Amino acid sequence: MNIAWAMHALRVLLSSLLLILVVIIIMFTLLELAPGDPVQSLVGQVPVSEAFRAEMAATYGLDRPLPERFLSYVGNLLTGNLGYSYANRQPVVDLIVARLGNTLVLTLPSLVISSCGAIVLGAFAARTRSRAADGTVSFLAVAGFSLPGFWLALLLIMFFSVNLGWLPAQGMSSFASSGISPTHLILPVIALSASELAFKTRIMRSTMIEVLGQDYIDTARSKGLSPFQILRRHGLLNSMLPMVSVIGFSLGYTIAGAVTIEKVFGWPGMGSLLYSSIQTGDNLVVMGILLVLTITIVIVNILTDIVYGLVDPRIRARMRTRRGADA
């Protein structure tokens, strides 16, 4: 077994666990300091007496000191228990699981479209000899990155739903059907992927221009390789190294953008649940969603580091050097 790789993986794992613990502490403290009454969210808008409030607080352990409640919460997390939603009257895990699939259906296509589209557009803009084509792609990339996601979503609804009547604007399917309708998915995916597509296109274009200016590209030309062969064998492969990191980190931005996009389009995902839970003061649901998102992003970043290490020959050579030194 490669000891260098094992030590590297152990360091990444320990730092990730420490990050998750810090996030839990910060979120728990901030939500405890945030305004809101969990007892009131449990009973709704019905007025309650102080005696009933005290009884409910004792029943759910809300009257215990903050450190004791935090340790109890962490202990429950280790068993997979994210708590109980007072407003929805069901476990937080059940709420998140019911909405997680809807959010993934929205975010994964957006991530794939923005990543693949950026690779194609960025490579085209860097390789084309037409200043007009390069300028058009660059202008659209800057414009797309500058547009707020919710504003673009409203524009798409106004144009394609209200004016033209081509696509639905709310929900996952029509009233007469169940499941997720592809037509209901088009506008949210476009609105969610537009900003990331623009950002990644700029990164890909800049990286490709830098790669095509390297000495080994001139060597490849001197060997008689065609422009397409140079682009495929040397340009794209070496330009993908920074894109691996960008694609991995962009998952967090895609999930964060899904909160507003789901609200605009009435998409019943974790973003909508997070928004409504903040409004009702259902802190355990907010904690559960943020924790799931944090763990997801940490896992993706770990996988990104692993993939980057496998793709980048410099890291592989460094690992082999460390292995030789350990031997």
Side-chain angles (χ1 to χ4, degrees):
M1 181 178 179
N2 192 326
I3 299 179
W5 272 108
M7 294 300 297
H8 174 70
L10 181 60
R11 285 193 297 268
V12 172
L13 180 60
L14 292 177
S15 62
S16 301
L17 292 176
L18 179 61
L19 174 61
I20 292 175
L21 179 60
V22 171
V23 169
I24 292 174
I25 295 174
I26 294 175
M27 289 192 304
F28 189 87
T29 304
L30 292 179
L31 290 175
E32 285 294 328
L33 297 176
D37 187 358
V39 175
Q40 195 65 52
S41 66
L42 176 64
V43 300
Q45 301 298 324
V46 180
V48 296
S49 63
E50 291 299 324
F52 179 79
R53 187 183 301 275
E55 180 182 355
M56 296 301 295
T59 301
Y60 290 97
L62 300 175
D63 58 341
R64 292 181 296 174
L66 180 61
E68 184 179 346
R69 279 186 285 138
F70 175 74
L71 292 177
S72 176
Y73 180 75
V74 173
N76 291 332
L77 287 180
L78 296 178
T79 62
N81 181 11
L82 298 180
Y84 188 83
S85 172
Y86 307 120
N88 296 278
R89 291 177 171 79
Q90 59 178 309
V92 175
V93 173
D94 295 344
L95 281 172
I96 294 178
V97 169
R99 300 290 190 99
L100 179 60
N102 297 338
T103 297
L104 292 179
V105 168
L106 191 62
T107 55
L108 291 182
S110 301
L111 185 66
V112 172
I113 290 174
S114 62
S115 301
C116 296
I119 293 173
V120 174
L121 292 176
F124 170 76
R127 187 64 185 86
T128 183
R129 299 180 182 275
S130 172
R131 292 186 178 181
D134 182 20
T136 301
V137 173
S138 300
F139 172 78
L140 292 177
V142 173
F145 183 67
S146 303
L147 290 177
F150 72 92
W151 189 67
L152 176 60
L154 293 175
L155 288 180
L156 292 174
I157 291 175
M158 183 179 65
F159 186 74
F160 290 102
S161 299
V162 177
N163 293 341
L164 298 177
W166 289 354
L167 297 170
Q170 293 292 304
M172 299 190 305
S173 60
S174 61
F175 294 106
S177 60
S178 59
I180 299 177
S181 172
T183 56
H184 285 74
L185 194 61
I186 295 176
L187 293 184
V189 168
I190 293 176
L192 187 58
S193 60
S195 178
E196 286 299 311
L197 173 63
F199 172 71
K200 293 173 186 175
T201 299
R202 294 286 297 174
I203 297 294
M204 185 65 186
R205 176 186 177 275
S206 301
T207 305
M208 180 65 74
I209 290 176
E210 180 180 356
V211 167
L212 293 178
Q214 298 297 320
D215 293 337
Y216 58 82
I217 298 296
D218 295 333
T219 303
R221 291 194 184 99
S222 65
K223 292 180 178 180
L225 295 179
S226 65
F228 177 76
Q229 290 176 322
I230 294 175
L231 182 65
R232 181 174 61 86
R233 295 183 183 179
H234 302 284
L236 283 176
L237 182 60
N238 290 281
S239 299
M240 284 302 297
L241 294 177
M243 285 299 294
V244 170
S245 298
V246 172
I247 292 172
F249 286 114
S250 69
L251 176 64
Y253 293 100
T254 303
I255 295 176
V259 176
T260 56
I261 298 301
E262 287 181 2
K263 185 62 180 177
V264 172
F265 288 98
W267 191 269
M270 287 201 303
S272 299
L273 179 61
L274 176 63
Y275 184 86
S276 61
S277 300
I278 293 175
Q279 286 186 317
T280 58
D282 203 348
N283 290 347
L284 287 180
V285 178
V286 176
M287 280 281 295
I289 294 175
L290 295 179
L291 182 61
V292 169
L293 297 182
T294 301
I295 294 176
T296 302
I297 293 172
V298 168
I299 292 175
V300 170
N301 288 336
I302 292 176
L303 295 177
T304 301
D305 289 340
I306 294 175
V307 172
Y308 196 92
L310 295 175
V311 173
D312 194 343
R314 295 169 297 182
I315 297 181
R316 294 201 303 269
R318 192 181 307 129
M319 290 299 176
R320 285 195 295 266
T321 302
R322 291 179 181 177
R323 182 174 57 182
D326 294 337

